[in-house]
Amino acid sequence: MELSGNGVDFGEGVRTFEYHPSISISLILPTRATAFEAMSLTVLGHNFPISPRPTFARVGSTELYAATISSTSLSVLTPALPPGNLTISISSNRVDWVSSSRILQMDRAPQIVSVSPSFGLPSASMITVRHLPFHVENDLDCVFSTFRSRATRLSSDLASCQVPDELRDSSFAETGFVQFQICDGSLWSNRVPFLVLLEQLIPELVPSSGPVGGGTLVAMKLSGSGIMMPFDPGELQCTFGGVSVLAARVTLSPPSTWNLECRSPVALSPDAVFVSITGLNIVLARSKNPFLYSNPQALHRLIPTRGTAGMMVTVIGENLLERSDQRLRVGRMEVRTYPISSSQINFLVPSHMPLNASVELLDSQESGLLYFQYVDAVVAFELFPSMGPQSGGTHIFLSFTAGSTFVKPTHCVIETQLIPLQTNTQNKYTCITPPQTQPGAVNVTTATNGEANPTRQRFLYLLHVELLGFMPSFGATQGGTP
């Protein structure tokens, strides 16, 4: 293009004016966006100029540069824009503007006020989301990390949704936090933390059985520091079958083991029930094996009722457990049991016991008490003489080395014969041997009120020899006569 003032003389300068096909806009993406947040806007249409010269875009009243991707696509980076409906226009010269018939709607983003509860199990928990009121055009979604769950609108500022099952099989091998948002189409809310709980397995119940009358204190362990994090101890319950009871005790052992104790509730009849741990109606863990309810247990007697440390004692009772987890306390100490049958278990007497130690079942409050008389291990005695005639009548002396809990004997026992003891001095006694039909060594021990003591000695009965006469019947006074 050349210019002239008289129509004859044209200047030497040449300017080029370019004609290009008419620009048209067919679509903008997105058509709805979050106010006060910068965004990338895509404009689709026809005949967008591809040249070194810039292309311009106007979003509402804000003029911006547009990046030409192709003749049919532009990209515009917008600043934070206020709420409202904005017209999109494109120009190659900032004079001729082509506007879109599509309106960009800028809305305020959803704002989460609270999530209740702020934790849950995949597919098992429903949560309630309270948010500031906002205009909803699309379906509202809850987004846990990258997993979506369709929300149900309860009111203008309240919605509910389920924790998606995909979290169970995702990378959350252990309990952990994820970012939670709500989304209305292209509008995203602020992010809040949400604690994902994964249901655990209770590996062992200790003990694994108890009476139908209930009251058994059952201990359980769970690993993972996050599993109990959201709960107060008063919110945790144990469910035996369909009956729930509050946890009696909850403690944390470093680094991340939770210890729970619950007392079993009353059962209508003997049964096997599984146990679960719940918090605010959320099942956190289930037992691997069932808890066995049995008929009431009872203790009848001990055999023997007294003895020393290390002695095996038999407990006679009813409905005793035929497994090694039958818990028994002797004095102040829990001891291991050796089951024989439902009416008989054995235990070893521990050391350093009180003189009269109570014996009771730890998991049965109504089983009753028995008492075991503890004797120090040093209750040895010496026997003198240690031999005598088969005809009996030998006065043998028993001298005891007694401990602090020494119980005075009342009889000596020679084989199976009970013979009263005569007291000479403290811890020294006399016993007269009965006759025996045959010579040989026999066991000698002592007894207190008919119950034998553990230590014993041997007494040798000698063959009885009767002297009928001497031959010769005379000899020298100085001796030497054969």
Side-chain angles (χ1 to χ4, degrees):
M1 180 179 70
E2 298 181 32
L3 299 177
S4 173
N6 55 16
V8 176
D9 301 313
F10 290 89
E12 295 180 358
V14 177
R15 298 291 184 269
T16 301
F17 183 84
E18 294 182 4
Y19 286 93
H20 55 73
S22 298
I23 295 174
S24 65
I25 301 174
S26 57
L27 184 66
I28 59 172
L29 295 174
T31 59
R32 186 166 178 248
T34 304
F36 304 114
E37 289 186 8
M39 60 171 291
S40 176
L41 179 68
T42 300
V43 182
L44 302 179
H46 300 282
N47 302 321
F48 295 142
I50 301 176
S51 70
R53 296 185 181 89
T55 301
F56 303 95
R58 185 182 289 159
V59 181
S61 60
T62 304
E63 193 171 304
L64 304 164
Y65 286 106
T68 303
I69 299 174
S70 67
S71 63
T72 59
S73 177
L74 296 175
S75 177
V76 182
L77 294 177
T78 72
L81 298 172
N85 296 326
L86 306 178
T87 301
I88 307 300
S89 302
I90 300 297
S91 175
S92 61
N93 58 11
R94 303 178 75 177
V95 175
D96 302 310
W97 293 90
V98 177
S99 299
S100 167
S101 59
R102 299 294 182 94
I103 299 299
L104 175 62
Q105 181 180 339
M106 303 298 293
D107 286 332
R108 293 183 182 273
Q111 184 72 24
I112 295 176
V113 177
S114 64
V115 178
S116 180
S118 59
F119 52 86
L121 274 78
S123 76
S125 299
M126 290 290 294
I127 65 171
T128 302
V129 184
R130 185 171 295 280
H131 54 79
L132 296 179
F134 68 97
H135 176 67
V136 179
E137 288 192 350
N138 304 291
D139 291 328
L140 189 64
D141 290 333
C142 294
V143 183
F144 300 78
S145 182
T146 59
F147 304 105
R148 293 194 178 215
S149 174
R150 181 58 46 85
T152 301
R153 292 188 62 81
L154 304 177
S155 66
S156 62
D157 63 349
L158 203 64
S160 67
C161 56
Q162 188 175 46
V163 181
D165 190 59
E166 290 85 350
L167 289 174
R168 187 190 310 276
D169 302 320
S170 68
S171 59
F172 303 103
E174 295 182 358
T175 301
F177 285 96
V178 297
Q179 294 296 327
F180 174 79
Q181 295 174 277
I182 55 175
C183 173
D184 172 25
S186 58
L187 298 185
W188 291 80
S189 73
N190 55 315
R191 295 173 178 172
V192 296
F194 184 85
L195 179 61
V196 179
L197 303 176
L198 299 181
E199 186 177 302
Q200 295 196 14
L201 192 67
I202 305 171
E204 186 180 14
L205 303 174
V206 181
S208 60
S209 57
V212 292
T216 303
L217 192 63
V218 183
M220 293 158 265
K221 291 182 183 294
L222 291 177
S223 297
S225 59
I227 187 68
M228 300 298 175
M229 187 185 301
F231 303 99
D232 292 329
E235 296 172 336
L236 296 174
Q237 293 184 320
C238 296
T239 302
F240 291 72
V243 182
S244 297
V245 294
L246 288 175
R249 187 183 181 200
V250 182
T251 58
L252 176 62
S253 300
S256 59
T257 299
W258 288 93
N259 307 290
L260 283 89
E261 293 180 342
C262 295
R263 291 200 178 274
S264 62
V266 175
L268 297 178
S269 61
D271 196 4
V273 299
F274 284 90
V275 179
S276 61
I277 298 173
T278 60
L280 300 177
N281 297 320
I282 298 174
V283 178
L284 304 175
R286 302 178 192 269
S287 63
K288 179 180 180 181
N289 298 308
F291 179 82
L292 303 177
Y293 277 104
S294 60
N295 286 317
Q297 296 177 306
L299 299 181
H300 294 323
R301 66 181 186 276
L302 302 176
I303 303 176
T305 60
R306 63 187 300 272
T308 61
M311 174 184 289
M312 183 71 77
V313 177
T314 300
V315 181
I316 305 298
E318 293 180 30
N319 301 314
L320 303 177
L321 300 183
E322 298 183 52
R323 303 187 308 276
S324 59
D325 61 353
Q326 176 71 75
R327 301 174 67 197
L328 188 73
R329 181 163 57 200
V330 180
R332 292 182 292 272
M333 186 179 302
E334 183 175 350
V335 298
R336 180 183 176 184
T337 57
Y338 302 87
I340 305 299
S341 66
S342 62
S343 61
Q344 183 177 332
I345 57 174
N346 292 343
F347 71 90
L348 292 174
V349 178
S351 57
H352 306 295
M353 299 292 295
L355 177 60
N356 289 301
S358 60
V359 178
E360 60 183 323
L361 297 177
L362 281 176
D363 304 316
S364 180
Q365 297 177 338
E366 300 177 357
S367 62
L369 288 176
L370 298 176
Y371 290 92
F372 182 81
Q373 191 174 42
Y374 178 74
V375 180
D376 276 349
V378 183
V379 193
F381 67 91
E382 295 179 359
L383 200 66
F384 179 81
S386 60
M387 61 182 67
Q390 179 184 341
S391 58
T394 304
H395 286 68
I396 56 177
F397 297 91
L398 288 74
S399 178
F400 286 85
T401 304
S404 59
T405 57
F406 173 68
V407 179
K408 294 181 179 180
T410 58
H411 296 78
C412 70
V413 183
I414 299 179
E415 284 301 303
T416 59
Q417 297 185 61
L418 216 62
I419 302 164
L421 280 174
Q422 300 175 7
T423 304
N424 292 346
T425 59
Q426 187 178 10
N427 297 339
K428 293 184 180 180
Y429 302 84
T430 301
C431 180
I432 302 175
T433 61
Q436 294 289 321
T437 58
Q438 294 181 351
V442 296
N443 290 323
V444 178
T445 185
T446 60
T448 302
N449 299 325
E451 188 168 322
N453 295 320
T455 53
R456 62 184 60 192
Q457 294 288 354
R458 302 280 281 177
F459 182 83
L460 179 62
Y461 275 99
L462 301 174
L463 179 65
H464 175 68
V465 178
E466 184 177 350
L467 298 178
L468 299 179
F470 298 97
M471 290 186 67
S473 58
F474 57 90
T477 57
Q478 66 272 22
T481 303

